[in-house]
Amino acid sequence: MSTTASALHSEHEHHPYGWRRWLFSTNHKDIGTLYLLFALTMFFLGGLSAMAIRAELLYPGLQMLDPDLYNNILTNHALIMIFGAVMPAGAGIANWMIPLMIGAPDMALPRLNNLSFWILPAAAMMLVLSFIVPFFPGGGTQVNTGWTLYPPLSVQVGMSMDFLIFAIHLLGISSVLASINIIVTILNMRAPGMTMFKMPIFCWAWFVTAFLLILVVPIIAGGVTMLLFDRHFGTSFFNAAGGGDPVLFQHLFWFFGHPEVYILILPAIGALAQVIPAFSRKPLFGYKSTVGSMLVIATLGMVVWAHHQYTIGMSLGTVSYFMIGTILISIPVGLIIFNFIATMWRGAMTFETPMLFATAMVLLFSFGGLTGVMLAVIPADVQYHDSMFVVAHFHYVLIPGAIYGLFAAVFYWLPKWTGHMYDEKLAKIFFWVNMISFNITFFPQHFLGLAGMPRRIIDYNVIFAEFNFLSSVAGLIYGFSHLLFLYIIIKAIRGGQQAKNKVWEGATGLEWELPSPPPFHSWETAPKIK
Ligand code: CU1
């Protein structure tokens, strides 16, 4: 090969353009963007399924769906939102920000980074296949189990369950690879002088999250593999007739499922630990206690899984242990909330959109935490179990706790990512419409649950009609409000006022967390890394 040809070759290898730039990307910013765009797409898919659910529940009786399709949509709503929207969005922000925050040129394992992203579209295709396969001749029954996939029902479901199991395997591989990358990057790629306890909290949050993922993803992978074996290879792990026990699956599932909640929330808490100080013009109150609390949350979170299974008939001693462990978690969570409020205390606060979402997260996530303590109490939970109260609780935890944190992060860093300011006025309108309609959607569901309305059922007694109508109307407004979010994002990508190096006026902002010079705001002006 001539020198010119080899120079050209290496030039193409390092700076692929067009679609190759994205497919072959090893650049943390490009891969971060891919993650974020993927998450946005899945967020709308998951949102569409949520709106189908609320539209069906607008009135008692059956409107447009049949029970199996309703439960299929419900299952996919959960899986798409958890694995397709929230986790990849967090990973996208991690990819963009962690190298910048610790002063690294890129992630430690850039090619692995490429692989962990590109597994996701394949997994998403598997999920979509599992949804549509039953509608073809010979496609079998629909996945009507809910995201928990409990046997024996999940053993009886048709081949769409197999697609789902493989989707979970792929999603798990992607998560573990991304986690390895994050841990290695943080441990090995910090700039000189950037000690672990000088890192921005966002990096700590992802460091803890990555360990959680590596610890729990193999458990769910093992669980669904055993399910696959029960389905096709004659084993009886979960079949009582063959000497197995369906409750074993519940343990395997929730050993993953409970820490998963923290996997969704910790990155959002990390983002808040950047946003709140910036808009309070004060350093974070209690850096070390915030880091310590995250470690305690992760550790305790690993050992309280059976609070989802109070009704399976455990001994009083066992359920008491799980109850006390669960309630103990409210201490480190409360400490983090305290630190956030103490950061705001006597700060020169302003309320741009990121801060609005951050404040809403502090308030509403705390409320979701309170109903969590209610649910942790054994005699109470036996009453609320599988009711709409649980649905209300975890939507208060996950929408403010995860998605509002992500919104705060997106609006905070959008000027850096796109090089343009977003439309602040529209963003504030988006916040208020979104936040108010969210509350009207989910607050009445507490009352529905306390009055005895079960979850995961297409029809309901007419006595629940008013609150369901209210919840559905607000839910549809809530769903549609995200079109405004999409518009704001597209508008910021396409143009608008140039972002300054110091984006947030008077805020310590991005520079104070960056040991390296401020990053360049657009690809055109960025120096090419050789
Ligand atoms: Cu849990």
Side-chain angles (χ1 to χ4, degrees), residues 120-131 160 162-164 166-168 170:
L120 284 182
M125 249 182 272
M126 286 286 203
L127 268 186
V128 171
L129 274 175
S130 106
F131 181 75
S160 52
D162 300 319
F163 284 105
L164 201 59
F166 287 128
I168 290 173
L170 288 174

Side-chain angles (χ1 to χ4, degrees), residues 254 257-262 301 304-308 326 329 393:
W254 286 112
H258 185 76
E260 174 66 19
V261 178
Y262 301 114
V304 296
W305 72 93
H307 61 210
H308 296 270
T326 305
I329 296 181
H393 155 70

Side-chain angles (χ1 to χ4, degrees), residues 181-368:
N181 212 345
I182 286 169
I183 291 172
V184 176
T185 304
I186 289 176
L187 288 181
N188 289 339
M189 303 280 286
R190 278 172 289 124
M194 171 61 75
T195 59
M196 285 300 273
F197 281 103
K198 280 185 183 158
M199 281 199 309
I201 297 274
F202 181 76
C203 302
W204 264 109
W206 256 108
F207 190 61
V208 177
T209 306
F211 272 103
L212 270 182
L213 272 165
I214 290 175
L215 285 169
V216 302
V217 162
I219 312 297
I220 181 77
V224 294
T225 307
M226 288 154 85
L227 194 62
L228 195 71
F229 274 56
D230 269 16
R231 288 168 55 82
H232 296 293
F233 306 123
T235 57
S236 293
F237 292 113
F238 310 126
N239 179 8
D245 188 349
V247 170
L248 171 62
F249 183 84
Q250 297 191 14
H251 285 292
L252 294 172
F253 181 85
W254 286 112
F255 191 81
F256 149 83
H258 185 76
E260 174 66 19
V261 178
Y262 301 114
I263 289 165
L264 301 175
I265 289 167
L266 283 175
I269 287 180
L272 244 63
Q274 308 305 129
V275 170
I276 291 177
F279 292 92
S280 306
R281 279 86 195 176
K282 277 173 68 190
L284 182 74
F285 180 90
Y287 176 101
K288 281 193 178 167
S289 66
T290 305
V291 172
S293 296
M294 290 195 293
L295 290 168
V296 173
I297 290 172
T299 313
L300 275 180
M302 294 286 298
V303 292
V304 296
W305 72 93
H307 61 210
H308 296 270
Q309 305 162 239
Y310 284 158
T311 55
I312 61 172
M314 287 177 285
S315 73
L316 186 61
T318 317
V319 279
S320 305
Y321 157 74
F322 282 109
M323 175 175 86
I324 292 164
T326 305
I327 295 175
L328 276 178
I329 296 181
S330 58
I331 297 172
V333 173
L335 190 53
I336 290 178
I337 299 288
F338 177 85
N339 286 347
F340 286 168
I341 295 171
T343 306
M344 295 179 193
W345 186 256
R346 293 188 170 173
M349 290 166 76
T350 55
F351 290 91
E352 288 89 348
T353 311
M355 187 59 163
L356 286 176
F357 275 109
T359 322
M361 172 170 166
V362 170
L363 275 168
L364 298 174
F365 171 64
S366 302
F367 180 78

